[in-house]
C-alpha cells in the first residue's frame, strides 16, 4: 500500500457494489412474466447456448409454479442462477426477444431466471431426484463452470463424480472473474452447494500433477474431464512490466471479491490495459473502490473494441476514461509503477483476419500517471499442464477436443470450456460440460468413444 492508496468504508463498499439489476419482487416477477408472448420457436431459447425453455419457465412463474420454473431452468443450465445474473442477456436472450421488434422493452429474462432459481434456494427445495450410483466414476479437473455442469449432469445420471480443484474455493471464473455488482462470490458458492447436495464431490487445494498424478486419476476413475479454463492473463513484456503494482486483472478482481467490504486498498490513478469485458469489470470496480481516475488504454479504435457495447456504456457511465489508439510501451517508476508511457497508433491495412492493424505514429509518445496498472490482455491456458495430459492433442495452447461432445484423442479423457474454445461466457462453458456429460455417459455405458 502506498501513501496515495485509499479505502472506502464497508457501508460505502456495500452501496457501490449493490446489485446492478436488483432482484424482482414476487409481484413484479408475475407482472413481467405476464408480458411474455410465449412465442412458438422462441428466439430467446434458440439463442441461449444452453437452450433453456424460456417461455416454459416464464409461464410457470405466471401460474405460481416457481419450483417447476426453477426445474425447467436447471435441467438445461445447472448454473442458471449465476447465469441469470451474469449472462450478457443484452446480446443473448433479451437481445433476441421479439419485443425489441415491437419497440418495446424486451422481457427481463435474466431477472426472471434469477427470481425462480433464488426462490428455490431461499425455500431450500430440491428439484432433482438423484438415482442410485451405477458404480462408474468420473474425475473432473478444475471446479469452474464446465466441470460443475459436467459433474452435475453425470451425477443425475447415476455416475459418481469427484472434482479436483487447485484453489481453496470452487467456482473458477464464475466465482472470481465477474464484477461483484453483477454476481457475488457468496451467491456462486451457494449455487455450488446445490451441486454438492446432488452428490458431486469437490476436493479443493488439490493440484493434479503435484498432489495426484494423471496415472492415479486414470486408475481411480473410468473417465476424466478437463475443465481447467484459462489459467493466467497474457503478459506484456515491455520495460517496467516487473514493477510493483503492475497486476493481473483477474488477481485484482479475485482479491476484492474475497476481501471483506472496505478492506481493499486502491491506488489514486489506475490504468487498465486492454479493451475487453474483463477490463471493464476491473475499471468499474476500481472506480467503485475509490480511485480518482481510471483510464482504459486500448491500442485499436472504438469500433474494434472487443467489449460488449452495454459494458462499454456502463464503464463510461461510471466515469471510466477511454484512450483509443494508445499503445503502452513502458511502465515508469523506481520500485512501484508511477506512470505509463504510450505511443499513439493509427490503423493500417486489414490482415488476413480482416482486422485493421495498428501502426505506431513516430514521435507521438505521451505519458499518463498511474500508481496501479491492471493487465487485461486476455487469458491463456497453462500450456505446461496441458502438455502433461497423456495422449491429448494441443493447438494454439489449448486442448484439441470436439466442441460438440468434448472428445479428445485419448478415449478416456474429455475436455470442455475455455481450455478448448478460448475465453467465452460462463453459459458457454456450462453447455460444453453438459454436452461432454452426455458423451461420457455414452462412452461408459457402451464402452466406445
Ligand atoms: Fe417471451 Fe420474448 Fe422469448 Fe417471445 S422472445 S418467448 S416474448 S421472452
Amino acid at each position: 500500500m502506498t501513501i496515495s492508496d485509499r479505502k472506502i468504508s464497508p457501508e460505502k463498499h456495500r452501496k457501490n457494489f449493490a446489485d446492478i439489476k436488483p432482484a424482482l419482487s414476487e409481484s413484479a416477477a408475475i407482472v413481467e412474466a405476464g408480458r411474455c408472448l410465449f412465442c412458438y420457436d422462441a428466439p430467446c431459447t434458440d439463442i441461449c447456448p444452453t437452450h433453456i425453455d424460456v417461455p416454459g419457465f416464464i409461464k410457470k412463474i405466471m401460474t405460481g409454479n416457481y419450483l417447476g420454473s426453477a426445474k425447467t431452468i436447471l435441467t438445461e443450465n445447472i448454473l442458471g442462477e449465476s447465469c441469470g445474473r451474469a449472462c450478457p442477456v443484452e446480446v443473448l436472450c433479451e437481445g433476441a426477444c421479439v419485443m425489441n421488434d415491437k419497440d418495446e422493452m424486451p422481457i427481463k429474462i435474466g431477472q426472471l431466471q434469477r427470481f425462480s432459481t433464488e426462490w428455490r434456494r431461499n425455500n431450500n427445495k430440491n428439484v432433482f431426484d438423484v438415482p442410485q450410483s451405477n458404480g462408474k466414476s468420473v474425475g473432473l479437473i478444475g471446479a469452474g463452470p464446465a466441470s460443475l455442469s459436467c459433474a452435475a449432469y453425470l451425477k443425475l445420471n447415476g455416475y459418481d463424480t469427484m472434482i479436483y480443484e487447485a484453489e481453496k474455493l470452487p467456482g473458477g471464473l464464475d466465482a472470481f472473474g465477474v464484477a461483484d455488482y453483477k454476481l457475488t462470490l457468496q451467491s456462486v458458492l451457494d449455487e455450488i452447494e446445490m451441486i454438492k447436495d446432488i452428490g458431486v464431490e469437490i476436493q479443493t487445494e488439490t493440484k493434479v500433477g503435484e498432489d495426484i498424478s494423471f496415472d492415479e486419476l486414470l486408475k481411480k476413475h473410468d473417465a476424466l474431464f478437463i475443465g481447467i479454463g484459462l489459467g493466467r492473463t497474457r503478459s506484456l513484456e515491455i520495460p517496467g512490466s516487473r514493477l510493483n503494482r503492475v497486476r493481473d486483472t483477474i488477481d485484482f478482481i479475485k482479491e476484492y471479491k474475497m476481501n471483506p467490504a472496505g478492506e481493499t486498498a486502491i491506488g489514486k490513478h489506475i490504468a487498465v490495459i486492454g479493451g475487453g469485458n474483463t477490463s471493464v469489470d476491473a475499471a468499474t470496480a476500481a472506480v467503485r473502490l475509490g480511485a480518482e481516475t481510471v483510464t482504459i488504454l486500448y491500442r485499436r479504435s472504438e469500433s474494434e473494441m472487443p467489449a460488449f457495447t452495454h459494458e462499454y456504456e456502463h464503464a463510461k457511465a461510471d466515469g471510466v476514461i477511454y484512450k483509443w489508439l494508445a499503445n503502452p510501451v513502458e511502465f515508469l517508476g523506481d520500485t512501484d509503477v508511477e506512470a505509463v508511457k504510450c505511443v499513439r497508433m493509427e490503423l493500417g491495412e486489414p490482415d488476413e483476419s480482416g482486422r485493421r492493424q495498428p501502426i505506431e505514429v513516430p514521435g507521438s509518445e505521451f505519458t499518463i500517471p498511474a500508481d496501479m496498472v491492471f493487465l487485461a490482455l486476455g487469458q491463456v491456458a497453462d500450456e505446461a499442464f496441458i502438455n502433461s495430459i497423456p495422449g491429448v492433442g494441443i493447438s494454439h495452447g489449448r486442448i484439441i477436443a470436439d466442441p460438440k461432445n468434448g472428445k479428445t484423442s485419448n478415449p478416456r479423457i474429455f475436455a470442455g470450456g475455455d481450455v478448448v474454445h478460448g475465453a467465452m461466457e460462463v453459459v458457454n462453458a456450462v453447455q460444453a460440460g453438459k454436452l461432454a456429460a452426455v458423451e461420457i455417459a455414452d462412452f461408459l455405458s457402451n464402452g466406445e468413444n
Side-chain angles (χ1 to χ4, degrees):
M1 183 156 166
T2 68
I3 202 78
S4 60
D5 278 351
R6 63 267 321 271
K7 284 184 183 176
I8 53 173
S9 67
E11 294 72 36
K12 193 159 185 203
H13 182 113
R14 280 188 277 275
K15 187 167 164 265
N16 287 358
F17 285 92
D19 275 354
I20 195 164
K21 288 183 189 168
L24 296 176
S25 65
E26 184 173 357
S27 55
I30 293 169
V31 169
E32 185 63 13
R35 291 179 59 230
C36 179
L37 301 178
F38 307 110
C39 307
Y40 182 71
D41 280 344
C44 48
T45 291
D46 201 35
I47 202 169
C48 171
T50 59
H51 303 302
I52 291 172
D53 175 5
V54 176
F57 91 72
I58 293 180
K59 192 168 261 179
K60 287 179 179 132
I61 295 176
M62 261 183 77
T63 57
N65 179 6
Y66 306 141
L67 188 61
S69 176
K71 185 169 185 176
T72 300
I73 296 162
L74 298 171
T75 300
E76 296 302 336
N77 182 344
I78 200 74
L79 298 183
E81 187 175 336
S82 25
C83 287
R85 295 169 67 140
C87 256
V89 290
E90 294 83 352
V91 295
L92 292 174
C93 53
E94 294 182 18
C97 177
V98 296
M99 290 297 193
N100 293 298
D101 303 332
K102 299 176 185 294
D103 282 338
E104 288 185 38
M105 291 293 285
I107 305 300
K108 293 175 180 167
I109 301 168
Q111 281 159 285
L112 289 174
Q113 185 166 312
R114 176 178 171 183
F115 170 78
S116 301
T117 49
E118 279 191 353
W119 185 92
R120 180 214 66 80
R121 178 158 57 79
N122 293 336
N123 289 279
N124 209 14
K125 302 275 188 196
N126 291 326
V127 293
F128 297 115
D129 294 324
V130 184
Q132 286 226 316
S133 165
N134 60 24
K136 297 210 167 133
S137 160
V138 180
L140 302 101
I141 303 170
S147 288
L148 290 166
S149 160
C150 186
Y153 291 117
L154 282 167
K155 189 68 201 168
L156 291 173
N157 282 283
Y159 296 89
D160 293 330
T161 52
M162 168 67 83
I163 300 179
Y164 300 91
E165 168 59 50
E167 299 284 335
K168 253 191 187 147
L169 292 173
L173 276 192
D174 198 26
F176 300 115
V178 183
D180 228 22
Y181 51 79
K182 291 187 221 164
L183 183 62
T184 63
L185 174 59
Q186 192 53 52
S187 63
V188 174
L189 296 178
D190 288 343
E191 191 172 37
I192 292 172
E193 281 306 308
M194 173 193 70
I195 293 173
K196 284 158 86 174
D197 288 345
I198 292 170
V200 171
E201 293 180 85
I202 304 178
Q203 197 173 303
T204 52
E205 297 184 272
T206 306
K207 275 194 176 167
V208 173
E210 288 180 23
D211 302 313
I212 187 163
S213 69
F214 272 103
D215 277 355
E216 287 171 278
L217 288 175
L218 285 164
K219 276 188 199 125
K220 208 168 159 189
H221 302 287
D222 299 291
L224 298 180
F225 175 81
I226 319 284
I228 53 174
L230 299 172
R232 60 179 177 80
T233 298
R234 196 171 272 120
S235 59
L236 180 63
E237 295 303 329
I238 59 175
S241 57
R242 304 276 183 276
L243 286 171
N244 293 334
R245 299 161 70 87
V246 176
R247 304 192 55 189
D248 178 320
T249 303
I250 297 292
D251 285 348
F252 160 66
I253 295 175
K254 189 172 173 180
E255 179 189 301
Y256 92 76
K257 288 190 79 158
M258 288 187 79
N259 280 348
E263 285 298 308
T264 302
I266 193 80
K268 192 170 181 183
H269 300 294
I270 310 296
V272 184
I273 319 289
N277 295 313
T278 306
S279 74
V280 171
D281 277 5
T284 52
V287 171
R288 286 155 196 255
L289 287 167
E292 198 171 297
T293 66
V294 180
T295 307
I296 289 182
L297 299 167
Y298 183 52
R299 67 193 189 116
R300 289 186 162 90
S301 71
E302 187 175 345
S303 50
E304 281 90 23
M305 168 190 64
F308 294 127
T309 306
H310 65 272
E311 294 284 5
Y312 169 49
E313 294 298 336
H314 176 208
K316 282 198 300 183
D318 264 15
V320 172
I321 302 158
Y322 274 83
K323 286 209 183 293
W324 309 111
L325 296 163
N327 192 33
V329 290
E330 186 174 358
F331 297 120
L332 305 171
D334 293 328
T335 50
D336 293 345
V337 68
E338 291 168 17
V340 186
K341 186 173 167 189
C342 302
V343 63
R344 289 235 162 273
M345 310 295 277
E346 59 185 10
L347 291 176
E349 293 301 312
D351 65 5
E352 60 277 4
S353 71
R355 285 179 104 194
R356 292 177 69 195
Q357 290 307 297
I359 303 164
E360 286 190 3
V361 177
S364 64
E365 286 84 0
F366 66 97
T367 299
I368 65 159
D371 54 10
M372 213 175 244
V373 172
F374 299 133
L375 301 178
L377 298 160
Q379 286 201 295
V380 287
D382 181 346
E383 220 170 314
F385 180 80
I386 296 175
N387 274 319
S388 73
I389 306 171
V392 166
I394 179 168
S395 171
H396 297 97
R398 302 199 295 266
I399 294 176
I400 302 172
D402 188 332
K404 295 190 295 302
N405 52 34
K407 283 160 113 176
T408 71
S409 42
N410 183 328
R412 289 181 60 204
I413 299 182
F414 299 77
D418 286 2
V419 74
V420 172
H421 52 53
M424 290 181 86
E425 302 300 324
V426 168
V427 66
N428 299 99
V430 170
Q431 179 68 355
K434 187 172 85 181
L435 293 175
V438 173
E439 192 65 28
I440 293 169
D442 191 44
F443 166 60
L444 294 180
S445 23
N446 298 325
E448 281 177 18
N449 184 357

